[in-house]
Structure formats: C-alpha cells, structure tokens
Amino acid sequence: MRSSIRGAGAAAAATALVVVVSGSWFGYQQLAGPSCSGEIQLSVAVAPELEPAVRSAADGWQQDGAAVGGTCIKVNVAASESVDVAAAVASKHGATLAGVGQASGTAITPDVWVPDSSTWLLRLKNGGATAFAPANGASIARSPVVVAMPEPVASRFGWPDKKLTWTDLLRSVTSDKPVRAGIVEPTQDAAGLSGLLSLTAAAGGAGGDTQKATTGALRALAIGRSSLRKDLLARFPRANDATAIANGLGAAALSEKDVMAYNATKPPIPLAALYLEPSPMPLDYPYAVLPGIEPAKASAARVLYELLTTQGFKNRLAAQSLRAPDGNWGDGFKALPGAPSPAGGQATVPPAGVGAAGGLDPVAIDRAVSGWSIATQSGRMLCVIDVSGSMKAPVPSANNATREQVTVAAASRGLNLFDDSWSIGLWTFSTNLRGSQDWVQLVPINPLSTNRSRLEQGLSGIRPSQGNTGLYDTMLAAYETVQENWEPGRVNSVVLFTDGKNDDKDGLSQAELIRRLKQLADPERPVQVVIIGIGNEVSKAELKSITDVTGGAPFVTEDPTKIGDIFLKAIALRPNAPR
C-alpha cells in the first residue's frame, strides 16, 4: 500500500465557491443552492495516495451545501487499493484478470472509482467485461513512473546529470554482475506493470534473440519481486555501508510519489528517481463513473469531477506529492533531482509516454501480463494438440501456413517462456490414432529440466492426420491423466487446441463426458482445463460446457494467427485465492 501524507483542508470551505467559479457555471449553480432536502450518497473509491486530496475537495463541497436538483449529496470517499476494487468489478462483470485473484466476500463496487492507472479499466474490458463502459475516464492527477535506486548506486550510473534509457537498465540487470532489481507484482500493481512494459520493450528492441532477451529480463525481475510495495521498499539498504548497499535492493520501478514518500521518512540512504527514456506509462488516476448508477448520482459525480479540475485541487495534489494531469505541479511541490518538469509548474509539459486509456496498447499489456505470469510461476500441464484432417487448412494471414503449423509454432514459442520448474507433457489427438484410441502420448509429463528437448522434438514432428475430431474421449483421458498424478502446490492443467467440434460417432456423447467429469471433479485435487478453439467451425458453447465443470475457460478465435497471444493469456489465467 502506498504511504500518503494527509494535507490540511482548513481553507476548503472558504475557497469552495471560488474554485468552482473558476471551473464552470454549471458547477457553481449546483453548489450555490440555498437549501436541499433528502440525501443521495455518492460512494467514491480512490487510490490511497490520492484519497486525502479528493476527500478534502469533497468535504469542502459538502460544507458549502452539496446539492443536485434540490437533493442533498453526501460524498463518501474511501481509500481503496486499485487491485481490490478491480477484483470486485471483475467479479460483478464476469471478467478474469490474470494474477488478481477473486474479490473478497465483503468487496463492493463504488459509484465512482479513481484507480491509480487507466490500465485497470483496459484490463477489465479485455478480461471479458464487455458491458463495462465507465463514463468520463479523464485523468485528475499524475505521478511519473521512475526507477528508484539508492543514491550511491544511482551515482554510478551518472545520476542526476546523465540521461539514461531502459536499454541501459536492461543491460545492468541481466549482466554477469547484475544490479539487484525488484518489482511489485505487476499483475497487481500499475507502477510495476509500467516498468515491466518498458523493460520488455527494451528487450524486444535490443536486437538478437528477442525471446531470450525478454525471458531473461522477466526472470531477473522475478527474483526480486514482492507482493506488497512496503515489503519491496524494506529491501532497499538500511545502512550506509558498502556491504548493506551491495546486499540491498538496487533498482525498482516505482512512482515518483513513492520515492518522495520513502525519502520523507529520512532513511539512512535516500532513493534517487531515474526518469528513464523513453518515458514509461505514468500513473494517471482516471475518474471513472461506473455504469449503472442512477441519474442523480451521475449528476453529483459530474459536479465532483469539476471540483477536481481546478487550481485549488492542483495545490491539494502538490501537498500529496502528486502532479496535475498535464505533468505540472501546484504550490509547494518539491521536485526530485532530475525531474523533467519546469520549476513552479507554469509551463505545459507534454504527457510522458501514454497517459490516457485511449492511448494504451491492449495487446502489449496482455502480452506483458501473460508473459510475466508464465515466467514467474510454476505448474504442471498436459498440452493436447488437434491433428485432425481439418488442421491442414491454409491460413491466408500466415502466408498460407496450415492451421497445424501455426498452432505448433505458437506452442513452441510459449515453451520458451516456461522455466525448468514446470512439468509439461504433449499429446496429439484425432480419431483412431492408435487402434480405436483417439489420442497418442508423444511426451509424458515430466519436469522441463529433463523434458525440454523431447518436447521440442515432439512438436517439430507433429503432422495432421486423415481423421476427424475425437474431442470428448481425448478430453476425458487427458483429465484423468493429469488428475492421476496430481501435484499439490501447483496448478495442474490441461491445455487443448482444436479447430472443430467433436465428431467421433463411436466415442462418448457430450452428456456422458459431462457426467464423467462431474464424477471425477475433486475440489481437493482440481484440474484446470483451458481449450483454445481455432477457426469458425468451433462451438464455444460446446467447449464452455466442459470448462464449466472442470474450471478454466474456453478461448475461440477465427484467426489462427492470434493463437500465440491467446495461448499466453490462457495459461496466465491461473486460479488465485480470494483477496
């Protein structure tokens, strides 16, 4: 949880009308009513570091007689970790967020949500919340994402005078004598995600083996990852001596606000903030009015937003070591050495990186989150690939490579992300591949430390058959195989690729398969099933009937060239404990 400094709001009531007049005539009319009756409660969940500023503005409005259309408004502002609200919203809208986990039983969704980053809104939309369309979404504050380093370590990099890049950092964390890098779990922390995106982009642009460079960067960060920000901060050196500095954390992606708050505690070794180029995605604090609220609340939310766009609110942000949305700052903001904005914040600063939801790249975010989840976790998986005759169909968007070739290529690329702690096996299936049996085991499930080369060879030898799609018999056999040698402490899963419906007339019916899976399902020995459907002949309803029993999810795409990203995303959706 980010630490924050509560600014005094003593002058809020006296200045409320002034700041609203500087905002808009509509806001003034709403605030200037002489009386009101009844009460509407507007719930506002705000990232903890921003909460004091929003609460102060809301209190000032209420002290001055907050009303909309003659009805009194009570604004309930709560400091809420963005990941916790995201879990609740995901649960309400049927979305799945990799690495976030389930919402707690007491979690509720607010009327207005101000998370620390627009990435949360985008991840929810891409995670399956198709009806999730919050209003507004404009940024009300900003904090650049920086690389925090103990000042003695930063000095070796030329701080604060030398301009550094993410490629410079990549070299330092993957060298023979690497800087000890850390990160707050990027699936749960927006600053961590921003740093991950920048570092993986640097790896992708470094030339050579991009996959190897990216995986190396992920694993370097994974060694020093923390679930909580306070735990990560506690790993920075706490004594001003060479041993403590050498053994402590040397670099981590944090917000500018985090560095300021840490240094305000007067640690033995202050942190330097390195503003690396290209500028990473900042924390942009979008003002999201969640869908489904009643019109009177929506009107109150609009007026509250106006209060949060004034010069008075800009000064409240400065008291919390936060910037205005344009990157400038209000009165009292104390910039860190090397900060790129002009002193006093009078000139407009171009937005650093991408700071609004419309400018974010959903594919890049999905790849980063999925790649991280795979590279930093361990599991046991049986990969099952369809080799029915229809897999010979050419894919025009892949230079007419067959569906089989595109599928195998995606599985091969994914294999490179799994480290040696994973256990993976490989089957193919069609109909009557071995006598009346629809499936063939190419490689048994074993640790990649001894199995990797066999899997690579097995994948390279896969060719389509002349058979049909024996989906149901194969699924039951795969489920039984994974469950038989189930391993505690790991996600045990089946990942199956197919381009068609079950058409094995001599095999199990759908009803029989579901009945058998229900008999086998054991909450003490769960097996997650992920089915990736390719092409327009797949029935998502058929696949969902299976995963509804087993846990997991179906993913269907008519464009086989997208299965690489879908594969990574599917593997990343691993079950998590409730928050």
Side-chain angles (χ1 to χ4, degrees):
M1 184 179 294
R2 290 194 182 95
S3 58
S4 57
I5 306 166
R6 287 191 181 275
T15 59
L17 287 177
V18 175
V19 299
V20 172
V21 168
S22 68
S24 75
W25 182 86
F26 172 76
Y28 174 80
Q29 289 293 99
Q30 299 300 314
L31 288 166
S35 63
C36 59
S37 61
E39 184 177 86
I40 292 176
Q41 300 210 13
L42 183 71
S43 62
V44 183
V46 186
E49 63 273 24
L50 181 60
E51 183 267 346
V54 174
R55 181 182 293 277
S56 177
D59 286 350
W61 179 22
Q62 291 174 114
Q63 290 167 13
D64 212 64
V68 169
T71 302
C72 302
I73 303 297
K74 179 173 175 56
V75 184
N76 300 310
V77 180
S80 305
E81 292 292 342
S82 299
V83 65
D84 293 334
V85 181
V89 173
S91 177
K92 180 177 180 178
H93 289 272
T96 307
L97 300 180
V100 166
Q102 302 170 18
S104 68
T106 59
I108 59 173
T109 57
D111 300 316
V112 177
W113 180 29
V114 188
D116 54 9
S117 171
S118 292
T119 55
W120 289 113
L121 307 180
L122 187 62
R123 288 180 64 192
L124 282 162
K125 191 76 172 177
N126 290 346
T130 54
F132 179 68
N136 198 323
S139 171
I140 63 168
R142 189 185 194 88
S143 190
V145 171
V146 301
V147 171
M149 283 187 177
E151 287 189 354
V153 177
S155 296
R156 297 179 210 149
F157 284 81
W159 170 85
D161 301 318
K162 185 178 178 181
K163 286 292 182 184
L164 298 166
T165 68
W166 285 94
T167 302
D168 295 327
L169 181 66
L170 177 66
R171 281 195 293 263
S172 72
V173 300
T174 57
S175 67
D176 293 336
K177 295 182 179 180
V179 169
R180 291 174 180 263
I183 193 169
V184 184
E185 191 68 41
T187 58
Q188 301 182 16
D189 182 84
L193 176 58
S194 176
L196 178 66
L197 286 166
S198 290
L199 201 63
T200 54
D209 190 335
T210 299
Q211 182 83 54
K212 183 178 180 180
T214 301
T215 303
L218 292 175
R219 290 177 182 160
L221 288 176
I223 293 171
R225 74 184 187 273
S226 296
S227 297
L228 299 175
R229 189 175 297 102
K230 65 179 181 180
D231 294 341
L232 184 80
L233 291 167
R235 292 168 47 210
F236 281 112
R238 305 299 297 177
N240 195 4
D241 63 74
T243 301
I245 294 171
N247 293 332
L249 185 64
L254 295 168
S255 72
E256 179 184 70
K257 158 71 176 178
D258 291 330
V259 175
M260 290 179 170
Y262 181 87
N263 288 345
T265 67
K266 306 297 182 184
I269 299 180
L271 293 179
L274 275 61
Y275 296 80
L276 299 189
E277 297 177 346
S279 299
M281 176 179 63
L283 302 187
D284 65 336
Y285 302 96
Y287 186 89
V289 181
L290 298 194
I293 70 170
E294 58 193 82
K297 285 188 176 183
S299 296
R302 284 194 295 271
V303 180
L304 178 60
Y305 171 72
E306 292 175 12
L307 283 169
L308 306 182
T309 60
T310 63
Q311 180 63 41
F313 186 69
K314 184 175 180 180
N315 293 336
R316 288 191 174 101
L317 292 174
Q320 307 306 318
S321 300
L322 293 167
R323 302 170 182 237
D326 64 1
N328 283 289
W329 51 67
D331 298 340
F333 185 92
K334 297 180 180 178
L336 293 168
S341 299
Q346 298 303 313
T348 299
V349 178
V354 286
L360 301 175
D361 182 352
V363 174
I365 291 172
D366 273 350
R367 285 176 178 168
V369 169
S370 301
W372 172 263
S373 296
I374 293 170
T376 59
Q377 301 181 47
S378 178
R380 180 173 172 271
M381 179 179 76
L382 177 58
C383 179
V384 185
I385 297 180
D386 189 346
V387 292
S388 59
S390 56
M391 292 291 280
K392 297 176 183 178
V395 179
S397 56
N399 294 320
N400 286 321
T402 66
R403 288 178 180 175
E404 196 74 73
Q405 290 171 324
V406 172
T407 300
V408 168
S412 297
R413 287 193 300 273
L415 180 62
N416 292 329
L417 281 176
F418 298 101
D419 69 17
D420 286 350
S421 68
W422 277 75
S423 292
I424 298 178
L426 178 64
W427 288 12
T428 56
F429 79 101
S430 177
T431 51
N432 304 318
L433 284 184
R434 181 167 292 170
S436 61
Q437 181 176 293
D438 291 343
W439 68 92
V440 171
Q441 175 180 276
L442 300 183
V443 184
I445 303 173
N446 280 309
L448 279 179
S449 56
T450 59
N451 222 24
R452 191 179 295 274
S453 62
R454 292 186 64 190
L455 284 165
E456 291 171 345
Q457 291 171 6
L459 285 166
S460 67
I462 289 178
R463 301 290 185 273
S465 70
Q466 299 299 322
N468 295 322
T469 306
L471 174 63
Y472 295 159
D473 282 16
T474 301
M475 176 55 68
L476 180 62
Y479 190 93
E480 289 175 328
T481 297
V482 173
Q483 191 180 59
E484 181 180 0
N485 295 305
W486 188 91
E487 293 185 18
R490 311 175 82 183
V491 175
N492 294 255
S493 60
V494 175
V495 177
L496 184 145
F497 297 84
T498 185
D499 74 339
K501 305 180 185 70
N502 180 74
D503 54 6
D504 180 5
K505 297 178 181 178
D506 298 322
L508 293 170
S509 68
Q510 184 178 26
E512 288 172 327
L513 172 65
I514 299 304
R515 180 180 60 81
R516 294 283 298 276
L517 288 174
K518 285 181 177 178
Q519 290 175 340
L520 290 169
D522 181 354
E524 299 299 320
R525 296 164 62 85
V527 175
Q528 178 173 273
V529 174
V530 172
I531 308 176
I532 300 175
I534 307 158
N536 56 13
E537 298 168 16
V538 177
S539 167
K540 188 169 185 179
E542 178 186 52
L543 305 184
K544 190 173 185 299
S545 71
I546 298 171
T547 59
D548 281 348
V549 175
T550 62
F555 296 82
V556 176
T557 177
E558 293 188 9
D559 182 357
T561 62
K562 294 181 179 179
I563 65 173
D565 287 332
I566 291 173
F567 177 47
L568 298 183
K569 185 174 182 179
I571 301 303
L573 295 180
R574 300 154 66 79
N576 295 278
R579 301 197 59 78

